[in-house]
Amino acid sequence: MANQKGGVAKTTTVASLGAALAGLGRRVLVVDLDPQGCLTFSLGHNPDRLERSVHDVLTGDIGAADAILDTSDGVALLPATIDLAGAEALLLMRPGREFTLARALAPLYDDYDTVLVDCPPSLGVLTLNGLTAAHSVLVPLQCETLAHRGVGQLLRTVREVQQITNPDLVLLGALPTLYDARTTHSRDVLSDVADRYELPVLDPPIPRTVRFAEASASGATVLAGRNNKGATAYRDLAENLAKYWSGSELRTFSG
Ligand SMILES: Nc1ncnc2c1ncn2[C@@H]1O[C@H](COP(=O)(O)OP(=O)(O)OP(=O)(O)O)[C@@H](O)[C@H]1O
Ligand SMILES: [Mg+2]
């Protein structure tokens, strides 16, 4: 999940989609690549109280398996702490720095069916590590005015990664978040993005609902609570992706 714009629901998507995929019986690992540790916190772990995190994995001090935690949502979590802010500077001085995460995760590929990486809101070395480790990239996009400024820059970065560090990287498409089906505005923004950037738009869009704020404070995702339209949308998205991974066409949104 990558978008250098803040607050577009990258973290919410990694947590909720991860929980939904786990609900389909997949073994899911989620990776917190943001020094803020929001993913870690939203899955019930306090970043301030952790002894081991993705930072120690990226610096090569421990293997990834030794930092992974369980969560009540049924996904495994490679957590982040504020230490990760320092990893950025440290990685910059290393040869092959973009490959650090890919190398760290490689020994785990037999243990998980899906690994979801929550990138920070920047196009720095951490996001480059996420894009280099990934098979595909999904771009959460908030359906509001001008929210898509910066998409061009992100897509240029994705193309550079495809040319330089990860030729197999697939740009899956945009995922509309904070979507308000009652306004034509959300739909206009989406069709504009799809046309302008020739970017597939995944189905279904994730509706705006207050349940997400409640959930992230509770230490579990919206899927843990009673049924609501946010949870339903992420379950639908999980099914769409699971079918795509087993050979079907990706279902896209047509408004
Ligand atoms: N579908 C939704 N409806 C309502 N609120 C939402 C929805 N999705 C996410 N939010 C809220 O929007 C805020 C930003 O979401 P989130 O932290 O997932 O974005 P982000 O892209 O990871 O942000 P950052 O760039 O800072 O890492 C959070 O308060 C979250 O609870
Ligand atoms: Mg985030």
Side-chain angles (χ1 to χ4, degrees), residues 1-2 31 33 58 97-102 105 109 117-120 124-137 161 165-166 169:
M1 240 48 72
V31 178
L33 261 198
L58 293 178
R97 57 190 173 240
E98 292 92 349
F99 296 91
T100 314
L101 181 66
L105 294 180
Y109 283 160
V117 180
D118 183 22
C119 290
V125 70
L126 289 171
T127 293
L128 290 176
N129 263 273
L131 293 173
T132 301
H135 293 114
S136 38
V137 53
V161 166
T165 60
N166 188 3
L169 180 66

Side-chain angles (χ1 to χ4, degrees), residues 30-91:
V30 297
V31 178
D32 193 350
L33 261 198
D34 188 340
Q36 308 276 344
C38 293
L39 178 66
T40 300
F41 191 81
S42 71
L43 289 173
H45 290 279
N46 184 342
D48 296 338
R49 299 218 187 105
L50 296 176
E51 273 174 27
R52 291 187 288 221
S53 71
V54 69
H55 171 259
D56 308 290
V57 174
L58 293 178
T59 54
D61 293 336
I62 59 172
D66 295 323
I68 288 174
L69 302 170
D70 288 331
T71 71
S72 61
D73 274 288
V75 302
L77 166 70
L78 181 53
T81 67
I82 192 67
D83 292 340
L84 192 56
E88 187 132 13
L90 208 126
L91 285 176

